[in-house]
Amino acid sequence: ACFSAIAPLAASKRSVADVVKPILWLSLGMVVVAGAYGAFGAWFGTDLPQLSSARVGPNGFPVRLIQSSVVFSIIGLVYILWGLVSLNVVRNPFANFSARYPMARLILMGALIGGFLIGRPFPLFRKMFEYAASTHNLPYGASVFILQALGNVVIMVALFLLITRGTGGRFERWLTAVPGRLETVTAVALIIAGVFFFTYWGLRLPARFGIGWWPSMPWS
């Protein structure tokens, strides 16, 4: 997902402004979603489902993991649909809007990446969120989540630059050598990310608590 968000920056002979502008649009989507959710969390407090220790069902499905399952499954389905649209397998219902506002794709991608925070169940993030929610300080909650989102951008861009610059430009040339290759690679990356999110969070995770089925390996 991160690769697909910034892969279009690999086109050769781009100026600094050409590279920075898409990153800013991407960041806008992340900042809006992350900031809004951080502020909401600070307003609502520590009773949020994402911070709950409650369990439901006969097998004790944690409420916070239910939220993770729903959020990441939706993001996964959006990625899959987006990839299929990019490959022209599925008709794009927003084709006219996308053509008129090309930056909307980057804003949407940023919003989806910002949405990771809504589903993130990991302990360190939860502790940070619990403290922000306990303060009931909306600007503080928003700023903490915005910093988290911007940190994702820095790591993402750094990794991409490492790949592109570390290969002496060979990776960039390979991406742009054949017309349509960059778009195809981006679409495939979206589908792979989407399938992973949906199968892991939407199928495998609920199956561990007796909801649905997922193959079990001897070592798992």
Side-chain angles (χ1 to χ4, degrees):
C2 294
F3 171 83
S4 62
I6 58 174
L9 303 183
S12 59
K13 298 181 180 179
R14 285 180 177 265
S15 67
V16 174
D18 291 333
V19 174
V20 170
K21 190 175 180 180
I23 295 176
L24 292 178
W25 285 119
L26 183 76
S27 299
L28 175 62
M30 286 197 299
V31 165
V32 169
V33 172
Y37 186 61
F40 172 77
W43 171 76
F44 195 89
T46 54
D47 292 330
L48 279 168
Q50 193 172 3
L51 301 177
S52 174
S53 298
R55 294 173 177 263
V56 297
N59 294 306
F61 199 164
V63 170
R64 65 179 183 276
L65 291 184
I66 294 176
Q67 178 169 327
S68 299
S69 179
V70 172
V71 170
F72 285 119
S73 294
I74 292 173
I75 292 175
L77 290 174
V78 173
Y79 280 163
I80 293 170
L81 179 61
W82 195 336
L84 293 175
V85 167
S86 300
L87 293 175
N88 295 318
V89 175
V90 176
R91 186 180 68 85
N92 184 4
F94 305 105
N96 293 333
F97 182 83
S98 299
R100 186 174 182 182
Y101 303 102
M103 77 291 293
R105 296 182 179 182
L106 287 167
I107 295 174
L108 175 59
M109 179 59 74
L112 290 172
I113 296 174
F116 291 178
L117 300 181
I118 302 176
R120 186 169 291 171
F122 307 121
L124 287 177
F125 175 77
R126 186 184 175 196
K127 288 183 179 297
M128 180 207 71
F129 195 1
E130 284 177 340
Y131 177 76
S134 69
T135 65
H136 294 287
N137 186 323
L138 273 64
Y140 178 77
S143 62
V144 166
F145 273 60
I146 288 172
L147 285 175
Q148 280 275 314
L150 292 177
N152 291 337
V153 174
V154 172
I155 295 173
M156 180 171 57
V157 173
L159 287 174
F160 188 75
L161 290 177
L162 180 64
I163 293 173
T164 55
R165 299 296 181 257
T167 58
R170 289 189 295 273
F171 181 69
E172 295 175 73
R173 289 192 293 272
W174 178 81
L175 279 177
T176 57
V178 178
R181 175 178 286 173
L182 177 59
E183 290 76 12
T184 300
V185 170
T186 302
V188 171
L190 279 168
I191 293 173
I192 291 173
V195 169
F196 170 77
F197 279 130
F198 183 75
T199 55
Y200 183 88
W201 294 99
L203 299 178
R204 182 180 182 276
L205 178 62
R208 292 182 59 187
F209 297 94
I211 302 174
W213 177 85
W214 184 258
S216 177
M217 300 300 175
W219 56 83
S220 63

